[in-house]
mmCIF file of all heavy atoms in Angstrom:
data_model
loop_
_atom_site.group_PDB
_atom_site.id
_atom_site.type_symbol
_atom_site.label_atom_id
_atom_site.label_comp_id
_atom_site.label_asym_id
_atom_site.label_seq_id
_atom_site.Cartn_x
_atom_site.Cartn_y
_atom_site.Cartn_z
ATOM 1 N N THR K 163 27.235 16.124 -14.380
ATOM 2 C CA THR K 163 26.616 16.990 -15.447
ATOM 3 C C THR K 163 27.673 17.864 -16.026
ATOM 4 O O THR K 163 28.600 18.257 -15.376
ATOM 5 C CB THR K 163 25.428 17.842 -14.925
ATOM 6 O OG1 THR K 163 24.782 18.454 -15.939
ATOM 7 C CG2 THR K 163 25.836 18.831 -13.883
ATOM 8 N N SER K 164 27.311 18.241 -17.197
ATOM 9 C CA SER K 164 28.297 19.192 -17.907
ATOM 10 C C SER K 164 27.612 20.673 -17.894
ATOM 11 O O SER K 164 28.138 21.587 -18.347
ATOM 12 C CB SER K 164 28.481 18.793 -19.406
ATOM 13 O OG SER K 164 27.344 18.611 -20.196
ATOM 14 N N GLU K 165 26.377 20.674 -17.393
ATOM 15 C CA GLU K 165 25.733 21.973 -17.380
ATOM 16 C C GLU K 165 26.228 22.814 -16.160
ATOM 17 O O GLU K 165 26.943 22.366 -15.284
ATOM 18 C CB GLU K 165 24.171 21.648 -16.937
ATOM 19 C CG GLU K 165 23.443 20.849 -17.900
ATOM 20 C CD GLU K 165 23.169 21.479 -19.256
ATOM 21 O OE1 GLU K 165 23.138 22.664 -19.321
ATOM 22 O OE2 GLU K 165 23.024 20.818 -20.271
ATOM 23 N N SER K 166 26.153 24.181 -16.374
ATOM 24 C CA SER K 166 26.688 25.081 -15.350
ATOM 25 C C SER K 166 25.576 25.747 -14.571
ATOM 26 O O SER K 166 25.898 26.188 -13.429
ATOM 27 C CB SER K 166 27.497 26.149 -16.004
ATOM 28 O OG SER K 166 26.717 26.886 -16.919
ATOM 29 N N ASP K 167 24.443 25.761 -15.122
ATOM 30 C CA ASP K 167 23.323 26.383 -14.365
ATOM 31 C C ASP K 167 22.275 25.311 -14.240
ATOM 32 O O ASP K 167 21.641 24.924 -15.263
ATOM 33 C CB ASP K 167 22.833 27.590 -15.174
ATOM 34 C CG ASP K 167 21.888 28.448 -14.321
ATOM 35 O OD1 ASP K 167 21.886 28.285 -13.079
ATOM 36 O OD2 ASP K 167 21.114 29.229 -14.979
ATOM 37 N N TYR K 168 21.912 25.161 -12.967
ATOM 38 C CA TYR K 168 20.794 24.063 -12.765
ATOM 39 C C TYR K 168 20.314 24.327 -11.322
ATOM 40 O O TYR K 168 20.839 25.210 -10.544
ATOM 41 C CB TYR K 168 21.354 22.616 -12.928
ATOM 42 C CG TYR K 168 22.713 22.351 -12.210
ATOM 43 C CD1 TYR K 168 22.861 21.851 -10.922
ATOM 44 C CD2 TYR K 168 23.840 22.558 -12.991
ATOM 45 C CE1 TYR K 168 23.979 21.677 -10.433
ATOM 46 C CE2 TYR K 168 25.108 22.331 -12.397
ATOM 47 C CZ TYR K 168 25.219 21.874 -11.115
ATOM 48 O OH TYR K 168 26.415 21.647 -10.490
ATOM 49 N N TYR K 169 19.490 23.480 -10.904
ATOM 50 C CA TYR K 169 18.847 23.495 -9.592
ATOM 51 C C TYR K 169 18.899 22.166 -9.010
ATOM 52 O O TYR K 169 18.957 21.157 -9.706
ATOM 53 C CB TYR K 169 17.329 23.947 -9.612
ATOM 54 C CG TYR K 169 17.084 25.309 -10.219
ATOM 55 C CD1 TYR K 169 16.905 25.325 -11.535
ATOM 56 C CD2 TYR K 169 17.035 26.402 -9.509
ATOM 57 C CE1 TYR K 169 16.630 26.664 -12.190
ATOM 58 C CE2 TYR K 169 16.885 27.693 -10.084
ATOM 59 C CZ TYR K 169 16.680 27.818 -11.416
ATOM 60 O OH TYR K 169 16.440 29.013 -11.991
ATOM 61 N N LEU K 170 18.914 22.133 -7.724
ATOM 62 C CA LEU K 170 19.007 20.811 -6.921
ATOM 63 C C LEU K 170 17.965 20.837 -5.896
ATOM 64 O O LEU K 170 17.664 21.794 -5.187
ATOM 65 C CB LEU K 170 20.476 20.765 -6.277
ATOM 66 C CG LEU K 170 21.525 20.735 -7.311
ATOM 67 C CD1 LEU K 170 22.651 21.743 -6.818
ATOM 68 C CD2 LEU K 170 22.211 19.361 -7.404
ATOM 69 N N PHE K 171 17.369 19.621 -5.630
ATOM 70 C CA PHE K 171 16.239 19.471 -4.632
ATOM 71 C C PHE K 171 16.616 18.206 -3.855
ATOM 72 O O PHE K 171 17.143 17.225 -4.335
ATOM 73 C CB PHE K 171 14.978 19.283 -5.340
ATOM 74 C CG PHE K 171 14.638 20.391 -6.348
ATOM 75 C CD1 PHE K 171 15.162 20.400 -7.631
ATOM 76 C CD2 PHE K 171 13.925 21.493 -5.873
ATOM 77 C CE1 PHE K 171 14.830 21.491 -8.495
ATOM 78 C CE2 PHE K 171 13.635 22.614 -6.769
ATOM 79 C CZ PHE K 171 14.066 22.547 -8.056
ATOM 80 N N TRP K 172 15.982 18.206 -2.642
ATOM 81 C CA TRP K 172 15.841 17.097 -1.824
ATOM 82 C C TRP K 172 14.382 16.792 -1.444
ATOM 83 O O TRP K 172 13.647 17.826 -1.257
ATOM 84 C CB TRP K 172 16.642 17.165 -0.455
ATOM 85 C CG TRP K 172 17.963 16.916 -0.573
ATOM 86 C CD1 TRP K 172 19.036 17.772 -0.639
ATOM 87 C CD2 TRP K 172 18.593 15.604 -0.434
ATOM 88 N NE1 TRP K 172 20.330 17.008 -0.614
ATOM 89 C CE2 TRP K 172 19.979 15.656 -0.580
ATOM 90 C CE3 TRP K 172 18.093 14.277 -0.218
ATOM 91 C CZ2 TRP K 172 20.943 14.627 -0.521
ATOM 92 C CZ3 TRP K 172 19.036 13.198 -0.291
ATOM 93 C CH2 TRP K 172 20.423 13.403 -0.310
ATOM 94 N N TYR K 173 13.937 15.597 -1.825
ATOM 95 C CA TYR K 173 12.502 15.324 -1.565
ATOM 96 C C TYR K 173 12.479 14.282 -0.536
ATOM 97 O O TYR K 173 13.332 13.401 -0.330
ATOM 98 C CB TYR K 173 11.858 14.751 -2.780
ATOM 99 C CG TYR K 173 11.376 15.835 -3.718
ATOM 100 C CD1 TYR K 173 12.228 16.425 -4.659
ATOM 101 C CD2 TYR K 173 10.100 16.314 -3.761
ATOM 102 C CE1 TYR K 173 11.800 17.342 -5.614
ATOM 103 C CE2 TYR K 173 9.685 17.410 -4.586
ATOM 104 C CZ TYR K 173 10.482 17.819 -5.552
ATOM 105 O OH TYR K 173 10.131 18.727 -6.456
ATOM 106 N N LYS K 174 11.360 14.260 0.291
ATOM 107 C CA LYS K 174 11.111 13.371 1.374
ATOM 108 C C LYS K 174 9.891 12.449 0.975
ATOM 109 O O LYS K 174 8.903 13.088 0.543
ATOM 110 C CB LYS K 174 10.853 14.031 2.711
ATOM 111 C CG LYS K 174 10.318 13.296 3.841
ATOM 112 C CD LYS K 174 10.074 14.173 5.007
ATOM 113 C CE LYS K 174 9.428 13.451 6.077
ATOM 114 N NZ LYS K 174 9.228 14.384 7.246
ATOM 115 N N GLN K 175 9.973 11.209 1.184
ATOM 116 C CA GLN K 175 8.835 10.433 0.748
ATOM 117 C C GLN K 175 8.460 9.509 2.142
ATOM 118 O O GLN K 175 9.130 8.489 2.439
ATOM 119 C CB GLN K 175 9.008 9.511 -0.267
ATOM 120 C CG GLN K 175 7.727 8.619 -0.678
ATOM 121 C CD GLN K 175 7.982 7.771 -1.888
ATOM 122 O OE1 GLN K 175 9.079 7.153 -2.030
ATOM 123 N NE2 GLN K 175 6.929 7.726 -2.857
ATOM 124 N N PRO K 176 7.607 9.950 3.014
ATOM 125 C CA PRO K 176 7.270 9.179 4.225
ATOM 126 C C PRO K 176 6.504 8.028 3.871
ATOM 127 O O PRO K 176 6.226 7.652 2.718
ATOM 128 C CB PRO K 176 6.408 10.154 5.005
ATOM 129 C CG PRO K 176 5.895 11.172 4.033
ATOM 130 C CD PRO K 176 6.907 11.221 2.937
ATOM 131 N N PRO K 177 6.101 7.103 4.907
ATOM 132 C CA PRO K 177 5.412 5.878 4.594
ATOM 133 C C PRO K 177 4.075 6.145 3.715
ATOM 134 O O PRO K 177 3.638 5.269 3.031
ATOM 135 C CB PRO K 177 5.081 5.367 5.966
ATOM 136 C CG PRO K 177 6.246 5.760 6.769
ATOM 137 C CD PRO K 177 6.534 7.195 6.336
ATOM 138 N N SER K 178 3.516 7.240 3.826
ATOM 139 C CA SER K 178 2.312 7.567 3.012
ATOM 140 C C SER K 178 2.664 7.668 1.575
ATOM 141 O O SER K 178 1.722 7.598 0.713
ATOM 142 C CB SER K 178 1.697 8.980 3.536
ATOM 143 O OG SER K 178 2.585 9.956 3.166
ATOM 144 N N ARG K 179 3.897 7.725 1.188
ATOM 145 C CA ARG K 179 4.426 7.829 -0.171
ATOM 146 C C ARG K 179 4.107 9.126 -0.956
ATOM 147 O O ARG K 179 4.373 9.267 -2.012
ATOM 148 C CB ARG K 179 3.913 6.705 -0.989
ATOM 149 C CG ARG K 179 4.306 5.298 -0.292
ATOM 150 C CD ARG K 179 4.163 4.128 -1.231
ATOM 151 N NE ARG K 179 5.190 4.023 -2.246
ATOM 152 C CZ ARG K 179 5.399 2.925 -3.047
ATOM 153 N NH1 ARG K 179 4.451 2.043 -3.083
ATOM 154 N NH2 ARG K 179 6.339 2.879 -3.871
ATOM 155 N N GLN K 180 3.630 10.142 -0.115
ATOM 156 C CA GLN K 180 3.451 11.450 -0.649
ATOM 157 C C GLN K 180 4.848 12.032 -0.849
ATOM 158 O O GLN K 180 5.687 12.155 0.106
ATOM 159 C CB GLN K 180 2.687 12.401 0.184
ATOM 160 C CG GLN K 180 2.478 13.698 -0.251
ATOM 161 C CD GLN K 180 1.620 13.981 -1.472
ATOM 162 O OE1 GLN K 180 0.602 13.498 -1.442
ATOM 163 N NE2 GLN K 180 2.308 14.604 -2.519
ATOM 164 N N MET K 181 5.220 12.639 -1.932
ATOM 165 C CA MET K 181 6.563 13.252 -2.163
ATOM 166 C C MET K 181 6.465 14.632 -1.741
ATOM 167 O O MET K 181 5.640 15.423 -2.177
ATOM 168 C CB MET K 181 6.911 13.152 -3.654
ATOM 169 C CG MET K 181 7.117 11.782 -4.147
ATOM 170 S SD MET K 181 8.769 11.077 -3.510
ATOM 171 C CE MET K 181 9.962 12.041 -4.527
ATOM 172 N N ILE K 182 7.376 15.020 -0.852
ATOM 173 C CA ILE K 182 7.384 16.364 -0.204
ATOM 174 C C ILE K 182 8.619 17.023 -0.486
ATOM 175 O O ILE K 182 9.752 16.439 -0.252
ATOM 176 C CB ILE K 182 7.073 16.259 1.263
ATOM 177 C CG1 ILE K 182 5.744 15.475 1.574
ATOM 178 C CG2 ILE K 182 7.093 17.605 1.956
ATOM 179 C CD1 ILE K 182 5.728 15.038 2.994
ATOM 180 N N LEU K 183 8.634 18.221 -0.983
ATOM 181 C CA LEU K 183 9.878 18.990 -1.273
ATOM 182 C C LEU K 183 10.438 19.452 0.177
ATOM 183 O O LEU K 183 9.708 20.065 0.841
ATOM 184 C CB LEU K 183 9.610 20.220 -2.039
ATOM 185 C CG LEU K 183 10.710 21.140 -2.376
ATOM 186 C CD1 LEU K 183 11.817 20.427 -3.209
ATOM 187 C CD2 LEU K 183 10.246 22.392 -3.141
ATOM 188 N N VAL K 184 11.656 19.176 0.279
ATOM 189 C CA VAL K 184 12.367 19.567 1.537
ATOM 190 C C VAL K 184 13.171 20.823 1.394
ATOM 191 O O VAL K 184 12.972 21.669 2.261
ATOM 192 C CB VAL K 184 13.333 18.405 2.057
ATOM 193 C CG1 VAL K 184 14.144 18.764 3.238
ATOM 194 C CG2 VAL K 184 12.541 17.158 2.362
ATOM 195 N N ILE K 185 13.975 20.877 0.367
ATOM 196 C CA ILE K 185 14.765 22.021 0.230
ATOM 197 C C ILE K 185 15.307 22.161 -1.253
ATOM 198 O O ILE K 185 15.325 21.171 -2.030
ATOM 199 C CB ILE K 185 15.979 21.882 1.218
ATOM 200 C CG1 ILE K 185 16.762 23.191 1.422
ATOM 201 C CG2 ILE K 185 17.035 20.857 0.629
ATOM 202 C CD1 ILE K 185 17.689 23.165 2.639
ATOM 203 N N ARG K 186 15.615 23.352 -1.599
ATOM 204 C CA ARG K 186 15.978 23.743 -2.981
ATOM 205 C C ARG K 186 17.307 24.574 -2.926
ATOM 206 O O ARG K 186 17.504 25.360 -2.085
ATOM 207 C CB ARG K 186 14.855 24.553 -3.651
ATOM 208 C CG ARG K 186 15.129 25.213 -4.969
ATOM 209 C CD ARG K 186 13.974 26.012 -5.416
ATOM 210 N NE ARG K 186 14.071 26.661 -6.625
ATOM 211 C CZ ARG K 186 14.591 27.919 -6.802
ATOM 212 N NH1 ARG K 186 14.753 28.609 -5.753
ATOM 213 N NH2 ARG K 186 14.561 28.374 -7.960
ATOM 214 N N GLN K 187 18.139 24.328 -3.910
ATOM 215 C CA GLN K 187 19.371 24.959 -4.119
ATOM 216 C C GLN K 187 19.625 25.507 -5.496
ATOM 217 O O GLN K 187 19.387 24.603 -6.400
ATOM 218 C CB GLN K 187 20.599 24.135 -3.587
ATOM 219 C CG GLN K 187 21.982 24.708 -3.798
ATOM 220 C CD GLN K 187 22.367 25.795 -2.779
ATOM 221 O OE1 GLN K 187 22.087 25.616 -1.563
ATOM 222 N NE2 GLN K 187 23.033 26.828 -3.232
ATOM 223 N N GLU K 188 19.969 26.768 -5.750
ATOM 224 C CA GLU K 188 20.417 27.130 -6.959
ATOM 225 C C GLU K 188 21.846 27.042 -7.206
ATOM 226 O O GLU K 188 22.562 27.575 -6.373
ATOM 227 C CB GLU K 188 19.931 28.550 -7.185
ATOM 228 C CG GLU K 188 18.405 28.726 -7.022
ATOM 229 C CD GLU K 188 17.973 30.231 -6.929
ATOM 230 O OE1 GLU K 188 18.861 31.130 -7.104
ATOM 231 O OE2 GLU K 188 16.747 30.437 -6.639
ATOM 232 N N ALA K 189 22.281 26.363 -8.304
ATOM 233 C CA ALA K 189 23.681 26.126 -8.514
ATOM 234 C C ALA K 189 24.482 27.337 -8.578
ATOM 235 O O ALA K 189 25.713 27.297 -8.299
ATOM 236 C CB ALA K 189 23.832 25.239 -9.755
ATOM 237 N N TYR K 190 23.917 28.408 -9.044
ATOM 238 C CA TYR K 190 24.739 29.670 -9.162
ATOM 239 C C TYR K 190 24.916 30.434 -7.896
ATOM 240 O O TYR K 190 25.633 31.449 -7.801
ATOM 241 C CB TYR K 190 24.110 30.578 -10.293
ATOM 242 C CG TYR K 190 22.798 31.159 -9.920
ATOM 243 C CD1 TYR K 190 22.644 32.243 -9.162
ATOM 244 C CD2 TYR K 190 21.665 30.459 -10.413
ATOM 245 C CE1 TYR K 190 21.321 32.744 -8.897
ATOM 246 C CE2 TYR K 190 20.354 30.985 -10.236
ATOM 247 C CZ TYR K 190 20.215 32.008 -9.382
ATOM 248 O OH TYR K 190 19.025 32.583 -9.124
ATOM 249 N N LYS K 191 24.272 29.973 -6.835
ATOM 250 C CA LYS K 191 24.428 30.575 -5.539
ATOM 251 C C LYS K 191 25.362 29.825 -4.685
ATOM 252 O O LYS K 191 25.255 28.547 -4.586
ATOM 253 C CB LYS K 191 23.079 30.634 -4.759
ATOM 254 C CG LYS K 191 22.021 31.766 -5.448
ATOM 255 C CD LYS K 191 20.888 31.893 -4.432
ATOM 256 C CE LYS K 191 19.996 32.959 -4.963
ATOM 257 N NZ LYS K 191 18.753 33.191 -4.160
#
Side-chain angles (χ1 to χ4, degrees):
Chain K
T163 183
S164 58
E165 302 289 335
S166 60
D167 192 16
Y168 47 91
Y169 300 90
L170 301 128
F171 303 89
W172 278 96
Y173 280 86
K174 167 185 177 181
Q175 188 180 39
S178 67
R179 303 193 79 172
Q180 174 73 56
M181 292 288 285
I182 301 165
L183 178 62
V184 175
I185 199 163
R186 169 182 180 265
Q187 174 77 43
E188 299 170 6
Y190 63 86
K191 287 189 175 180

